[in-house]
Amino acid sequence: MIVKQLSDILGTEHDVKAETWNSRRLLLKKDGVGFSLHDTLIKAGTETEIWYKHHVEAVYCIEGEGEIEVVESGVVYPIQPGTLYVLDGHEKHLLRGKSQMRMLCVFNPPCTGNEVHDAEGTYPLEV
């Protein structure tokens, strides 16, 4: 059994901060459960271009409001508490925080813990 508290992650190498987001990585590849789980804050008034070409990501919003735009189609979906979206087609997208959003994110394959978006907006696939 794995039991962790968010407070165990804060201020460690698994509390990854970027200009537009802060990802607290709760479960990682090393935990051996087949996925990673992140408690992520999207900063208010920001836009981030993201493309998970190596990962499927499921995201559930628990706080705040914003939107996600699928780059290829231009379709925009509002995000608010209770919204779930899954990037099962590796869609390149723009994530916009109208207010600070708190999102629970699941990645498959699991992240190792130190990933940040590269110039393409993607995480590298680490084996």
Side-chain angles (χ1 to χ4, degrees), residues 44-77:
T46 64
E47 177 180 90
T48 307
E49 184 172 341
I50 308 171
W51 181 29
Y52 296 120
K53 64 182 181 178
H54 304 296
H55 298 83
V56 171
E57 182 192 27
V59 179
Y60 184 71
C61 178
I62 58 174
E63 292 177 7
E65 293 188 9
E67 63 186 23
I68 183 171
E69 178 179 345
V70 180
V71 170
E72 185 175 301
S73 66
V75 175
V76 176
Y77 299 93

Side-chain angles (χ1 to χ4, degrees), residues 18-22 41-46 97-101:
E19 185 176 332
T20 60
W21 53 266
N22 180 17
L41 301 175
I42 304 300
K43 297 178 183 177
T46 64
K98 292 182 180 179
S99 61
Q100 178 174 281
M101 294 188 294

Side-chain angles (χ1 to χ4, degrees), residues 10 12 35 55 62 66 73 80 98 104-107 111 115 118 126:
L10 298 177
T12 72
F35 60 89
H55 298 83
I62 58 174
S73 66
Q80 60 191 12
K98 292 182 180 179
L104 296 179
C105 309
V106 176
F107 285 87
C111 295
E115 292 89 350
D118 65 15
E126 297 188 25

Side-chain angles (χ1 to χ4, degrees), residues 5 8 30 40 59 62 89 92-93 100 105 117-118 126:
Q5 297 288 325
D8 297 335
K30 69 180 181 178
T40 301
V59 179
I62 58 174
K92 186 179 281 192
H93 58 285
Q100 178 174 281
C105 309
H117 300 118
D118 65 15
E126 297 188 25

Side-chain angles (χ1 to χ4, degrees), residues 4-17 22-26 28 30 113-114:
K4 296 183 182 181
Q5 297 288 325
L6 179 59
S7 59
D8 297 335
I9 306 302
L10 298 177
T12 72
E13 69 274 11
H14 300 304
D15 183 5
V16 180
K17 297 176 182 175
N22 180 17
S23 178
R24 293 84 64 92
R25 279 89 191 262
L26 297 164
L28 297 166
K30 69 180 181 178
N114 57 1

